[in-house]
């Protein structure tokens, strides 16, 4: 579970990253989940977008992807969402208390 300071730190990091996951008219599919899982393993922090044609709301899509991939929803704003999952083998983002100001 992320603390509010960790969540704020991740939100600030997410500002600079591109949206790499899109959920369209098919909704949250196996392919979307596979892409999200691979991206989370490689990057730890990913940004997704729910298109207007999608049958799910952004918050629902973010929660579904997070549950299926074992990640946490950092934020949902409008049609975009940010997910985080620590890579235990090679962590890229530090969330130690002393590293977050």
């Amino acid at each position: 579970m992320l603390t509010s300071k960790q969540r704020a730190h991740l939100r600030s990091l997410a500002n600079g990253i591109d949206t790499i996951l899109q959920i369209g008219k098919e909704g949250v599919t196996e392919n979307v989940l596979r892409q999200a899982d691979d991206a989370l393993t490689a990057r730890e922090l990913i940004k997704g977008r729910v298109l207007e044609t999608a049958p799910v709301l952004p918050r629902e899509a973010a929660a579904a992807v997070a549950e299926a991939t074992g990640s946490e929803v950092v934020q949902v704003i409008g049609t975009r969402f940010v997910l985080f999952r620590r890579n235990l083998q090679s962590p890229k983002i530090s969330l130690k208390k002393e590293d977050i100001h």
Side-chain angles (χ1 to χ4, degrees):
M1 198 67 189
L2 295 170
T3 66
S4 60
K5 283 192 177 209
Q6 289 171 332
R7 198 173 297 280
H9 178 65
L10 290 171
R11 278 198 306 268
S12 70
L13 292 176
N15 277 338
I17 65 173
D18 292 328
T19 302
I20 60 167
L21 189 69
Q22 290 202 8
I23 297 173
K25 64 182 178 202
E26 302 292 318
V28 180
T29 63
E30 286 299 317
N31 191 29
V32 167
L33 295 176
R34 196 173 322 108
Q35 282 180 327
D37 191 54
D38 292 346
L40 284 163
T41 300
R43 304 170 182 219
E44 292 188 322
L45 189 69
I46 63 168
K47 192 183 289 185
R49 180 170 172 235
V50 179
L51 303 177
E52 289 179 20
T53 57
V56 292
L57 296 172
R59 195 166 296 283
E60 294 168 347
V65 175
E67 184 177 338
T69 59
S71 59
E72 289 197 55
V73 177
V74 175
Q75 73 175 357
V76 179
I77 296 180
T79 61
R80 299 186 191 278
F81 59 90
V82 177
L83 300 177
F84 172 77
R85 182 180 71 196
R86 169 146 329 279
N87 182 334
L88 298 175
Q89 278 72 41
S90 61
K92 291 165 186 45
I93 298 173
S94 176
L95 286 180
K96 294 188 211 113
K97 289 192 188 307
E98 62 269 14
D99 292 345
I100 301 170
H101 305 291

